[in-house]
């Protein structure tokens, strides 16, 4: 197998273009290497991004928060800047796997892997993130909600590299929270997860954003539940209505990790926990 180690985005994009879909990108390898070893995937060429320093780090650019695709979960969890501007994403990064997985696994790999239980994706949905893809043909930005089409299925093209995630800098008066329920506290994929973002003006909920993981073929925005809460006082009644609306947003299934009925009840419980924190 051929193994390439480009030192820039331009080199990586050239390597992808020349191999016309026969090369795979290797970021932290925590998903891809496991799948290659298990024979679930094959690759003639691997393009390792470890030397592309321009793909690392969190920065602000003209009111946008920009996160390089090779930024690891550990870097996100430890970033004081991210904790201040987008705590929902830092909290989610802290929930990934174990220390070892967090030190190798990257935000780009988490997004391209397109697991419905990927921890960073619900926060990216509520933050309104854009996935920035680059190829020889140029830059192609895609909204995070358009990116994944099913488990391990995305709209990325074989010749494209995910270079960064971007989202508008959130307001400072927001509440943002990420909740995850798994088999245990560490080294467990989410059975259900929920990212919540809103603010309260004189007690009334505004700009409510909710996204749920592991309850549909892709991470989903819970727009019915958002509508049920928007402009309301977060009373027990309003929260009950939002939890009922959530059942129309999600499509949980029975699988090895859990049952559809439990997932629905657990997802509503996470929402019930999130809203009162705002009051
Ligand atoms: C033991 C264990 C525990 C785990 N626990 C969790 C968990 O709790 N939560 C969770 O969300 N995930 C978990 N994972 C999954 C995994 O660690 C994460 O999804 C991680 O973020 C993947 O990133 P990576 O850099 O290792 O990706 P890689 O394995 O390198 O790549 C994954 C896929 O994305 C593609 N890719 C990567 N980067 C790019 C890019 N920049 N442009 C284009 N394509 C790209 C690769 O070609 C590959 O198809 C776990 C994995 C293991 C092995």
């Amino acid at each position: 197998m051929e193994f390439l180690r480009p030192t820039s985005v331009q080199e990586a994009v050239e390597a992808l273009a020349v191999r016309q879909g026969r090369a795979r990108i290797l970021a932290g390898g925590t998903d891809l290497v496991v799948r290659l070893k298990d024979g679930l995937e094959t690759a003639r060429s691997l393009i390792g991004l470890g030397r592309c320093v321009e793909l690392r780090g969190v920065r602000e650019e003209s009111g946008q928060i920009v996160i390089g695709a090779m930024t690891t979960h550990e870097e996100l969890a430890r970033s004081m800047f991210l904790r201040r501007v987008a705590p929902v994403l830092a909290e989610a990064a802290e929930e990934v796997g174990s220390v070892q997985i967090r030190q190798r696994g990257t935000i780009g790999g988490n997004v391209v892997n397109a697991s419905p239980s990927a921890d960073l994706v619900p926060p990216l949905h509520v933050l309104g993130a854009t996935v920035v893809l680059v190829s020889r043909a140029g830059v192609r930005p895609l909204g995070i909600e358009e990116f994944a089409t099913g488990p391990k299925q995305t709209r990325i093209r074989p010749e494209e590299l995910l270079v960064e995630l971007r989202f508008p800098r959130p307001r400072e008066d927001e509440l943002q929270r990420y909740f995850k329920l798994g088999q245990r506290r560490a080294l467990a994929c989410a059975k259900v997860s929920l990212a919540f973002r809103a603010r309260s003006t004189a007690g009334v909920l505004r700009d409510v954003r909710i996204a749920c993981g592991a309850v549909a073929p892709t991470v989903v925005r819970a727009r019915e539940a958002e509508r049920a809460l928007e402009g309301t006082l977060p009373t027990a009644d309003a929260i009950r209505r939002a939890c009922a609306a959530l059942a129309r947003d999600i499509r949980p299934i029975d699988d090895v990790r859990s049952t559809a009925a439990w997932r629905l009840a657990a997802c509503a419980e996470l929402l019930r926990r999130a809203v009162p924190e705002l009051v």
Side-chain angles (χ1 to χ4, degrees), residues 24-25 27-32 73 97 101 106 109-110 118-119 162 180:
R24 297 294 305 275
I25 293 292
T30 60
D31 276 313
L32 185 59
H73 300 300
I101 295 293
T106 63
N110 201 248
D119 279 309
L162 192 169
K180 169 181 181 175

Side-chain angles (χ1 to χ4, degrees), residues 73-94:
H73 300 300
E74 194 65 16
E75 286 164 343
L76 295 174
R78 284 172 183 266
S79 164
M80 294 313 287
F81 174 66
L82 195 67
R83 287 223 168 251
R84 208 172 59 245
V85 297
V88 65
L89 191 56
E91 282 176 15
E94 203 168 10

Side-chain angles (χ1 to χ4, degrees), residues 38-251:
D38 290 349
L40 298 170
E41 292 194 40
T42 54
R44 271 202 240 161
S45 306
L46 285 180
I47 302 176
L49 298 181
R51 290 183 174 171
C52 295
V53 284
E54 65 196 289
L55 291 177
R56 290 194 100 107
V58 184
R59 61 185 194 278
E60 184 168 4
E61 251 178 45
S62 318
Q64 294 268 310
I65 307 302
V66 183
I67 303 178
M70 283 297 284
T71 310
T72 64
H73 300 300
E74 194 65 16
E75 286 164 343
L76 295 174
R78 284 172 183 266
S79 164
M80 294 313 287
F81 174 66
L82 195 67
R83 287 223 168 251
R84 208 172 59 245
V85 297
V88 65
L89 191 56
E91 282 176 15
E94 203 168 10
E95 291 285 340
V96 173
S98 60
V99 177
Q100 292 87 343
I101 295 293
R102 287 196 292 277
Q103 284 188 347
R104 285 214 60 85
T106 63
I107 188 167
N110 201 248
V111 170
V112 177
N113 195 45
S115 163
S117 62
D119 279 309
L120 301 194
V121 180
L124 290 169
H125 276 239
V126 298
L127 291 166
T130 298
V131 177
V132 181
L133 305 168
V134 171
S135 69
R136 229 188 215 173
V139 179
R140 188 167 73 102
L142 262 187
I144 187 82
E145 290 186 48
E146 298 165 72
F147 186 69
T149 54
K152 301 214 171 287
Q153 304 293 318
T154 73
R155 293 205 160 90
I156 195 168
R157 297 172 185 152
E159 70 278 14
E160 285 180 326
L161 183 70
L162 192 169
V163 292
E164 63 198 24
L165 284 305
R166 304 180 148 252
F167 52 87
R169 185 185 174 121
R171 296 168 55 120
E172 278 176 17
D173 59 350
E174 291 183 2
L175 173 89
Q176 298 180 13
R177 283 303 311 274
Y178 180 68
F179 298 93
K180 169 181 181 175
L181 292 174
Q183 188 66 25
R184 49 183 183 260
R185 289 284 298 133
L187 270 175
C189 291
K191 288 181 175 191
V192 60
S193 62
L194 183 136
F196 181 82
R197 175 184 179 197
R199 60 195 177 86
S200 159
T201 313
V204 173
L205 294 175
R206 299 282 176 211
D207 302 331
V208 182
R209 301 281 180 275
I210 302 164
C212 307
V215 289
T218 62
V219 168
V220 285
R221 270 282 289 281
R223 287 200 162 77
E224 295 273 348
E226 289 175 2
R227 268 193 287 278
L229 287 173
E230 185 70 38
T232 66
L233 291 165
T235 58
D237 232 32
I239 296 172
R240 210 173 301 119
R241 274 197 300 276
C243 290
L246 197 60
R248 298 192 291 276
D249 288 312
I250 65 178
R251 284 176 289 145

